[in-house]
Amino acid sequence: MQRVGIVAKTRALITGITGQDGSYLAEFLLSQGYEVFGMIRRSSTVNFERIAHIQDKISLVTGDLLDEVSMINLLRQSRPREVYNLAAQSFVQTSWSQPVFTGETTALGVTRLLDAIRIVDPEIRFYQASSSEMFGRVLEVPQTEKTPFYPRSPYGVAKVYGHWITVNYRESHGVHAISGILFNHESPRRGLEFVTRKISNGVARIKMGLDSTLSLGNLDAQRDWGFAGDYVKAMWMMLQKDTAEDYVIATGETHSVREFCEVAFSVVGLDWKKYVVVDEAFMRPAEVDFLVGDSGKAQRALGWKAEVEFPSLVEMMVRNDLECLHP
Ligand code: NAP
Ligand code: GDD
């Protein structure tokens, strides 16, 4: 008797699926034919706005980076081949007011998940969402995989821990664990507290007559800003390599917060200087003044390259916020 074979889809588990990157990565993995599982934590209200459009195509399982047993159970339930650890307390400013919570989640959470993997299935391929924030007060320009770290916030310190524990589980337990050192990446799904979305949303509100000013902190800070949709592809490409190595993902261009304002206000024909006010409340106790990455290794080894350029990214975000206010 001939049996019709059913080809099982590759399974991936994403922590932080309700966040900006998690939603783009879930979409991308679905487009690659994956069966996608997402870890969600218990909350008193649902916050599925970013994944509402794909909710019927993915499986959501509950767990928390603070609770190792929950992750052991969800790995047993979902049996993934790939795990993408995107969950974190990811807002730098909050890390000064909640340094211990940030460390528990963003640093020790990585160890809990790696341990859960070691216990359930050490063959799982693991991606850790490391950050350019680890470079902090930069010791080299541009920053590469070899640039030493000098974090400037409890968040940056926690990410350095997450990076090194990933390297350590690779070296001491043989886990196929990769750390992607991603520079800032933005999108219309960016949280409203991050500066790019705060600006694009502020511009839209001013244009619609809902606000008359936009309060910001340090306008001189410079960042290497790319598009989140491009960056999640890099995460996947890294995990497809048979050798586990770390990669920097960046555009190679840097722009100041002031320049971001200039371009964003110009999208709606306004002069940013008339609306932006500097408010000390948004200044940081220690600032990361300047970041620019060199993604040469990823370009050569993975064939990855940032597609969306700075002016298009800013325009995409402003137009989306206008649309949200006035559909
Ligand atoms: P985000 O939008 O803030 O999303 C964070 C996600 O983590 C949310 O889904 C959140 O769930 C989840 N989470 C937080 N604490 C958790 C816990 N204790 N247990 C389980 N889930 C928890 O962040 P993002 O911008 O997508 O960034 C994704 C990852 O990349 C983060 O690790 C971030 O630090 C890192 N990263 C981001 C950038 C960037 O520019 N975006 C650059 C470098 C690295 P709730 O929805 O329930 O809050
Ligand atoms: N959030 C915010 N709000 N930032 C402001 C403001 C403001 O009103 N005004 C100026 N800034 C400056 C900050 O001081 C900082 O130098 C820069 O804008 C960017 O701030 P954020 O958008 O909050 O991002 P971030 O660079 O601190 O952190 C993001 O990127 C990291 C990668 O380098 C986050 O996504 C982190 O999770 C990520 O690791």
Side-chain angles (χ1 to χ4, degrees), residues 244-257:
E245 285 180 40
D246 308 324
Y247 297 90
V248 158
I249 298 297
T251 68
E253 260 186 47
T254 190
H255 298 274
S256 65
V257 172

Side-chain angles (χ1 to χ4, degrees), residues 29-242:
L29 293 178
L30 287 172
S31 77
Q32 298 297 307
Y34 278 69
E35 186 173 356
V36 176
F37 291 79
M39 181 175 98
I40 49 158
R41 54 179 175 166
R42 194 263 159 192
S43 68
S44 64
T45 52
V46 283
N47 59 346
F48 296 164
E49 307 97 77
R50 294 183 176 110
I51 50 169
H53 60 295
I54 49 170
Q55 220 177 309
D56 58 337
K57 300 188 184 76
I58 58 181
S59 305
L60 298 176
V61 278
T62 53
D64 198 301
L65 282 183
L66 302 178
D67 185 336
E68 188 166 334
V69 171
S70 72
M71 291 189 284
I72 291 173
N73 286 336
L74 72 83
L75 286 175
R76 285 189 175 138
Q77 246 178 295
S78 52
R79 303 302 308 198
R81 175 180 180 269
E82 297 171 9
V83 170
Y84 296 85
N85 183 35
L86 310 186
Q89 190 302 92
S90 77
F91 189 42
V92 173
Q93 185 89 50
T94 293
S95 75
W96 276 285
S97 55
Q98 299 182 27
V100 175
F101 173 72
T102 301
E104 282 289 350
T105 310
T106 306
L108 284 178
V110 187
T111 312
R112 294 189 190 97
L113 182 50
L114 280 164
D115 249 348
I117 286 173
R118 206 163 59 83
I119 291 165
V120 176
D121 178 3
E123 295 303 309
I124 286 172
R125 293 189 172 198
F126 176 79
Y127 173 86
Q128 165 59 13
S130 286
S131 163
S132 50
E133 189 69 15
M134 301 189 301
F135 297 122
R137 181 184 276 176
V138 298
L139 297 172
E140 188 179 31
V141 177
Q143 295 85 57
T144 72
E145 293 78 6
K146 295 200 171 83
T147 304
F149 301 138
Y150 189 149
R152 295 274 281 166
S153 61
Y155 168 83
V157 173
K159 280 289 178 187
V160 171
Y161 175 93
H163 172 82
W164 282 116
I165 202 69
T166 301
V167 173
N168 185 262
Y169 270 59
R170 177 165 80 215
E171 292 177 355
S172 44
H173 300 298
V175 178
H176 190 104
I178 286 173
S179 165
I181 306 174
L182 272 53
F183 282 63
N184 296 53
H185 44 278
E186 318 296 313
S187 75
R189 295 184 202 165
R190 188 54 141 156
L192 282 165
E193 69 275 39
F194 297 91
V195 77
T196 55
R197 184 77 196 287
K198 186 172 168 184
I199 297 169
S200 64
N201 183 54
V203 166
R205 291 184 62 83
I206 289 169
K207 183 68 181 173
M208 303 301 288
L210 298 171
D211 282 334
S212 51
T213 57
L214 172 62
S215 297
L216 295 172
N218 179 11
L219 302 181
D220 295 322
Q222 285 177 262
R223 290 290 183 276
D224 180 330
W225 278 300
F227 171 53
D230 289 344
Y231 285 43
V232 298
K233 287 184 200 155
M235 299 174 184
W236 174 77
M237 286 170 155
M238 287 178 215
L239 276 203
Q240 306 319 303
K241 294 291 274 189
D242 284 333

Side-chain angles (χ1 to χ4, degrees), residues 307-319:
E307 302 289 339
V308 177
E309 295 190 344
F310 179 72
S312 314
L313 174 66
V314 181
E315 182 167 354
M316 177 203 305
M317 293 178 70
V318 172
R319 297 223 176 277

